[in-house]
Amino acid sequence: MAYRKELNLLLSTVLRELQPGDAEYEAARANNTPCRALLEWKRQGLWKCRVVIQGHLEDKEALDGPDFQYSSDVVGLTAIRTLFMKPIHEGEAIGQLDLATAFLQADLFPADAPPRYLRLPDPVTGTTRYFRQLGVVYGSASSPKRWQDTLNAWLVKPEAEGGGGYTQGKNDPCLFYHKRLKVSLASYVDDLAARGQRKNCEEAFAAIAARFKCKEVLWLTPTSALDHLGMTFFQDELGTYLSMANYIEAMCTRLGVDPDRGRRCDTPMSGPITDLTPLGRAEAKWFMSACGMIGWLAGTGRCDLKLSHSRISSHMANPCVGALKAVVQAVRYAAHHKHLCLYQPFGGPDDWVHYSDSDHAGNVEAHAKRKSTLGYVSMCGSAPIGWGAKASSVNFDDRLARIAEGCTPSANNPTAPRWVKPADPAAHAKLSELHPDLSSGAAEIYAASVTLTEVLHLSYICEEMGFRMDPPFTILVDSTTAIAFSEGSVIGNPN
């Protein structure tokens, strides 16, 4: 039943079956791309079948041309958090719209395009069936890009010409703003989310549904939560929340981790990763899966995992016993604190506050070469919206690590070891003294500069969504050196 339903849908949209004796039948037998039917049991208690092209076997140059750009875009997670977690004021609403079988609704191939033929082993009859492909099918390498071009072209088309009338973002091409309706729209392949006055969002969704086949609109209310891109957004009488509890439960099941066994974990990471014993193939595969899931949590709604993921993921190229122990602790920590949420009260201020911090050569792991680690967080109202943690790009090789550990980071150090010679410069061939980047102040200044670039990008995204984030931007730091540098009081100072 599920297979018949899928095949009928394809035949009514993007496929035409070829029979022996048809003009194109022999050409289809001689030059085709194989397909296969996939059967899946859905959470709703139904079987779902999808016929997909084996895209890795497509003759891409012959079908799409040598210069076809296959990359497509999805909205950034920071933009999604801004859309959902910015303080909601009276009359505002957030809705979600899922486009049904989106790729099949992409524009059909032009009449002068090279012919495409598909071969499908029928799982029911055991026969081989051939088709002329009229439009994109799931699995094809060009499907995501062709669907994106179809959707975006209609969204930016003027309303007077039958389009959506949106302005597309330049910094995030999956963000759109409707100036007349004052509606912000974010697209993630076939998942759309909109925010604005309720009646305006309804009008926006109605226009999209008139152009594309869509499922029912879902609204975020105190009585109905939204699962959007694996993030659960819900409301109560106080405000809006972002929870990753459902994903964490699924992660533990997928990884075979029982959070009820063993001691409770109250920190995502306990210390440096020092046991570099290589993992076997099976353990390394499990480690990579677990690290990827922790990375998704750290990038969506659990900013408390960002630093630990940054440290653990640096061992992805060479998985080791110490990294395995660290990721197990991170998984157990997430499971033991799965109900931690981001929270934004209703009607709160839209003010933004940005924080920046860095340690100084604090990563003692051998492969890190004493890199400093920086972090930042951007708060809107009471909720963190943007955050990050990364190792500085500045490190010491083995020789310079000895310099950093054997003397203080100042010019003309009288207590420097005798092996610190002008022939061993710290940063440049013409410098005989240690470079000031060895100071904690330099690390903090670098962290603030990275934070500033992130804040600027966030401000551009907010502008493209129709939200306010007015300059000047204040970045809060705890380093007097960085503060003095930002105020310009160190310029020309002989001390």
Side-chain angles (χ1 to χ4, degrees):
M1 181 65 180
Y3 170 69
R4 190 181 306 115
K5 179 180 178 181
E6 169 71 1
L7 201 57
N8 288 340
L9 175 63
L10 292 172
L11 289 171
S12 67
T13 52
V14 296
L15 294 185
R16 186 178 79 245
E17 187 167 10
L18 301 174
Q19 303 290 348
D22 289 345
E24 297 179 280
Y25 184 76
E26 292 302 325
R29 291 190 61 191
N31 185 18
N32 58 70
T33 304
C35 300
R36 58 182 176 178
L38 303 179
L39 195 62
E40 179 185 8
W41 179 255
K42 304 296 289 184
R43 289 180 298 178
Q44 297 85 347
L46 298 172
W47 286 105
K48 178 179 180 180
C49 180
R50 175 150 286 172
V51 174
V52 299
I53 293 175
Q54 298 186 49
H56 63 289
L57 298 178
E58 285 183 308
D59 187 346
K60 299 179 181 61
E61 184 171 346
L63 296 176
D64 300 317
D67 300 320
F68 189 88
Q69 298 296 321
Y70 291 94
S71 60
S72 58
D73 304 300
V74 294
V75 67
L77 295 175
T78 301
I80 290 294
R81 286 193 295 269
T82 305
L83 186 78
F84 278 84
M85 298 303 297
K86 184 176 173 291
I88 292 181
H89 299 284
E90 185 176 357
E92 278 193 303
I94 297 174
Q96 174 183 279
L97 182 64
D98 186 4
L99 289 93
T101 55
F103 286 3
L104 304 187
Q105 300 191 61
D107 292 335
L108 299 180
F109 300 130
D112 58 350
R116 299 170 183 246
Y117 303 107
L118 302 180
R119 181 181 80 252
L120 174 65
D122 194 304
V124 177
T125 64
T127 60
T128 300
R129 305 171 70 171
Y130 296 92
F131 302 87
R132 171 69 186 267
Q133 184 184 353
L134 309 176
V136 297
V137 177
Y138 283 88
S140 176
S142 65
S143 294
K145 176 62 173 175
R146 293 182 187 276
W147 160 246
Q148 177 181 285
D149 290 345
T150 300
L151 175 64
N152 292 0
W154 180 84
L155 287 173
V156 301
K157 190 176 182 180
E159 289 184 274
E161 300 176 13
Y166 291 83
T167 300
Q168 184 178 15
K170 295 182 179 179
N171 295 278
D172 190 328
C174 291
L175 286 178
F176 302 85
Y177 183 68
H178 200 291
K179 294 182 179 179
R180 180 179 64 83
L181 297 176
K182 294 182 172 57
V183 167
S184 304
L185 183 74
S187 67
Y188 196 105
V189 190
D190 58 353
D191 290 317
L192 305 182
R195 173 171 176 161
Q197 293 295 307
R198 174 68 181 252
K199 61 181 182 63
N200 292 347
C201 289
E202 290 175 348
E203 182 180 341
F205 283 144
I208 295 172
R211 169 60 179 85
F212 300 100
K213 182 181 178 181
C214 302
K215 299 180 181 179
E216 182 183 359
V217 178
L218 302 177
W219 298 96
L220 179 61
T221 70
T223 58
S224 62
L226 289 183
D227 183 340
H228 194 70
L229 311 181
M231 297 174 279
T232 301
F233 296 93
F234 65 95
Q235 295 177 339
D236 61 13
E237 67 279 3
L238 299 177
T240 305
Y241 303 79
L242 193 172
S243 171
M244 297 301 295
N246 291 341
Y247 182 88
I248 292 172
E249 291 176 358
M251 173 183 70
C252 291
T253 301
R254 183 82 173 267
L255 296 175
V257 173
D258 184 357
D260 296 328
R261 297 183 60 184
R263 294 185 300 173
R264 177 181 174 86
C265 291
D266 289 323
T267 57
M269 194 170 185
S270 297
I273 296 172
T274 55
D275 188 346
L276 303 182
T277 305
L279 295 177
R281 180 183 295 272
E283 288 182 321
K285 183 178 180 180
W286 189 95
F287 164 77
M288 292 182 181
S289 296
C291 191
M293 294 178 184
I294 291 296
W296 179 252
L297 287 171
T300 49
R302 294 300 298 268
C303 50
D304 53 331
L305 289 167
K306 191 64 178 179
L307 175 59
S308 57
H309 176 258
S310 175
R311 289 287 180 87
I312 296 169
S313 62
S314 65
H315 294 269
M316 287 284 279
N318 298 290
C320 59
V321 171
L324 177 62
K325 293 179 179 178
V327 79
V328 168
Q329 178 173 337
V331 170
R332 292 181 60 80
Y333 165 82
H336 292 153
H337 299 81
K338 64 182 180 181
H339 294 302
L340 290 178
C341 300
L342 303 187
Y343 165 67
Q344 186 72 268
F346 290 135
D350 295 346
D351 299 336
W352 288 86
V353 181
H354 314 282
Y355 300 88
S356 171
D357 198 10
S358 176
D359 66 8
H360 177 223
N363 192 341
V364 301
E365 298 172 21
H367 76 288
K369 298 181 179 179
R370 282 288 180 175
K371 290 181 180 179
S372 297
T373 302
L374 61 90
Y376 80 94
V377 61
S378 293
M379 306 276 296
C380 182
S382 300
I385 301 296
W387 59 76
K390 60 168 287 186
S392 168
S393 58
V394 179
N395 61 47
F396 306 100
D397 62 22
D398 292 338
R399 172 177 53 78
L400 298 181
R402 300 199 314 270
I403 297 176
E405 295 169 356
C407 60
T408 57
S410 60
N412 303 316
N413 178 14
T415 62
R418 296 179 63 182
W419 44 263
V420 179
K421 301 176 182 179
D424 290 329
H428 192 278
K430 295 183 179 179
L431 298 178
S432 59
E433 299 88 10
L434 294 176
H435 192 273
D437 281 356
L438 299 179
S439 73
S440 60
E444 294 275 8
I445 293 170
Y446 176 72
S449 70
V450 172
T451 300
L452 177 59
T453 61
E454 297 291 344
V455 170
L456 286 171
H457 181 255
L458 180 56
S459 71
Y460 304 149
I461 288 176
C462 287
E463 182 180 358
E464 292 173 351
M465 299 173 74
F467 299 150
R468 290 186 57 189
M469 187 176 171
D470 299 327
F473 309 121
T474 300
I475 299 174
L476 302 182
V477 300
D478 60 359
S479 168
T480 55
T481 303
I483 294 172
F485 185 86
S486 68
E487 294 175 345
S489 59
V490 296
I491 300 176
N493 190 334
N495 297 320

